[in-house]
Each structure stands twice: as C-alpha cells, then as structure tokens.
C-alpha cells in the first residue's frame, strides 16, 4: 500500500458525530452520580468514530490530552456527546469532544458537563500509520479550534521530548565514586 499519497482535504462537517444516551443507575458511582469512566468511554467511542470517518478507515487512540469534568452527571440525565476533527497532520488527528447533559423529563437547555481533546492515529491493516486527509475548517469557530489544536500538539510533543530526555539522563551511568565533602557529611 502506498503510504505517501495524501488524501484530498475534508471539511470539518464531514465527520461530525453526536451521540445521545440516557444515564441510568448502572452508570453510577457510590456518590450517586455517573462514573467519570462512563463519560470517558462515551467520549473515546464517539471520537473514534469521528477519527475513522475523517480518515476513511481504522484509527486508534494515541493520547487523551485533556479531559475536564465541569459538573456531575446524574441518573436521568440525557448525555449528548458532540465530536469533530479539529486538526489533522500526516497520520494523526486531534478530535475535540464536548459533553452536554439535560434532564430526561424537563425541557431545559443542556449544560456543558465535560470537554476533551484526543489524539488519534490512522492505521492500515498491519497497524502502521497511514495518511489522513487535511482538515478544511469551514467557520471562524473551526479555524479557532484548528489553531488551538496546533498549540496543544506542540505542547504534547514538547512534553514527550522533555520526558524522553529526562529518562535518557536518568539511565546514564555515573562516572567514578560519589563525592563526599571533606567534613564527612554528605548533606
């Protein structure tokens, strides 16, 4: 398979997905609110669909850059998970997710309960990275998301480099015996 061909760009609207689900007692923790892990699973699942649709095939979660829980989700809340591609590189994509909730039995505006940013990598049948289409922002909001996704990517890569550098220094063997001050005290 030719991995050098870059697919034509796709607009952000081409892969947007919304999933709505009613939270019930099976989703709760000991405090009576919905487990954060339940919300995270919904976020990852919907983001995975968006990544696969944008890239025209399989994509795997590479990182969960940020997940902010803003207010608790309760039993009886209808959770709406909205997701779209914010940015795409050669084989990776940032997927933005917004989680809203409203009551199943009331006509009230939804409340934002969580946001998340996930990085996905498109893969071929052998699990190797494959090219993804560039993102074509359609609105000023899409353009803002694109710019902010680039900033998050730069931070993610810088953090990874710093951690790898730190680990490389930690395994570097020391040269010679430890230095002990003349007074015999080491600290």
């Amino acid at each position: 398979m030719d991995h050098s061909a870059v697919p034509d760009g796709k607009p952000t609207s081409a892969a947007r997905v919304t999933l709505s689900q009613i939270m019930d007692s099976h989703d709760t923790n000991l405090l009576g609110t919905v487990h954060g892990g339940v919300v995270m699973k919904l976020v990852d699942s919907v983001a995975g669909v968006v990544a696969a649709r944008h890239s025209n095939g399989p994509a795997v979660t590479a990182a969960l850059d940020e997940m902010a829980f803003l207010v608790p989700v309760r039993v009886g809340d209808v959770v709406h998970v909205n997701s779209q591609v914010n940015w795409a590189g050669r084989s990776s994509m940032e997927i933005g997710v917004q989680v809203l909730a409203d009551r199943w039995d009331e006509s009230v505006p939804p409340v934002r309960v969580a946001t998340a940013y996930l990085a996905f990598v498109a893969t071929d049948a052998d699990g190797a990275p494959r090219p993804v289409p560039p993102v074509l922002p359609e609105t000023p909001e899409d353009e803002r998301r694109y710019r902010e996704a680039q900033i998050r990517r730069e931070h993610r890569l810088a953090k990874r480099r710093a951690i790898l550098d730190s680990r490389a220094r930690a395994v570097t063997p020391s040269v010679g015996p430890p230095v002990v001050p003349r007074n015999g005290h080491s600290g």
Side-chain angles (χ1 to χ4, degrees), residues 2-49:
D2 178 18
H3 289 293
S4 62
V6 176
D8 291 337
K10 290 174 87 171
T12 52
S13 62
R16 280 190 188 121
V17 171
T18 297
L19 171 74
S20 296
Q21 183 171 322
I22 299 173
M23 297 289 104
D24 66 25
S25 60
H26 294 96
D27 301 317
T28 59
N29 58 31
L30 296 175
L31 298 174
T33 57
V34 173
H35 276 285
V38 170
V39 175
M40 289 176 77
K41 184 175 189 288
L42 291 171
V43 164
D44 189 43
S45 295
V46 173
V49 171

Side-chain angles (χ1 to χ4, degrees), residues 62-147:
L64 174 62
D65 271 1
E66 186 177 317
M67 177 93 188
F69 294 97
L70 307 172
V71 296
V73 176
R74 304 168 295 158
V75 170
D77 281 350
V78 180
V79 171
H80 310 278
V81 184
N82 304 311
S83 186
Q84 76 172 49
V85 176
N86 290 336
W87 175 90
R90 190 184 62 75
S91 62
S92 64
M93 300 159 277
E94 182 192 271
I95 312 299
V97 183
Q98 181 183 77
V99 183
L100 305 171
D102 53 22
R103 295 302 292 167
W104 70 275
D105 60 349
E106 298 175 26
S107 181
V108 295
V111 174
R112 185 183 306 199
V113 297
T115 58
Y117 300 100
L118 298 89
F120 278 78
V121 175
T123 58
D124 65 15
D126 297 322
R130 63 180 174 79
V132 299
V135 171
L136 304 175
E138 299 174 278
T139 67
E141 177 75 7
D142 290 342
E143 290 170 5
R144 178 192 62 79
R145 290 172 186 255
Y146 186 90
R147 286 189 311 272

